[in-house]
Amino acid sequence: MNSLFSPVARAAATLTMLSMSAVAQAQTTTQSNDPITSALTWMQSILLGPIATTLAVMAVAGVGFMMLTGRMNWRYGATVIIGVFIIFGAPRLVATIQGV
């Protein structure tokens, strides 16, 4: 008996083909051909990525230090800190507004 045509081999080949098509379909649904969507996704990854996180931490630390030493207006410092919260909380805010 040839192992290539056994029921187990056929089932394994069928499952492999199904999983390959599922992976290909998942890749096509996550990638968009729309340049605007691609640009906005890129911008979101920049705004919420590790570089932005590092810059936000440095900004908040700088504002906090300047407010502590009395060299900065409290209103401006609060504006910077609230802006950072809005930037990093934007995905959650949009999900809340959409009711997801």
Side-chain angles (χ1 to χ4, degrees):
M1 185 163 120
N2 193 350
S3 65
L4 185 61
F5 295 110
S6 71
V8 174
R10 278 187 272 159
T14 304
L15 287 176
T16 303
M17 293 299 214
L18 288 175
S19 65
M20 285 180 170
S21 65
V23 168
Q25 185 179 13
Q27 287 177 347
T28 58
T29 56
T30 57
Q31 294 176 350
S32 173
N33 291 334
D34 184 21
I36 295 174
T37 305
S38 299
L40 291 176
T41 303
W42 173 79
M43 185 176 284
Q44 179 184 8
S45 67
I46 293 295
L47 285 174
L48 300 175
I51 295 172
T53 304
T54 304
L55 291 174
V57 167
M58 290 172 31
V60 171
V63 165
F65 181 73
M66 290 182 76
M67 288 170 68
L68 183 66
T69 59
R71 296 181 184 192
M72 180 177 282
N73 184 0
W74 284 85
R75 176 179 263 169
Y76 178 75
T79 303
V80 170
I81 293 171
I82 290 171
V84 169
F85 283 130
I86 289 173
I87 288 174
F88 288 106
R92 178 71 178 160
L93 290 172
V94 170
T96 303
I97 290 170
Q98 289 179 344
V100 174

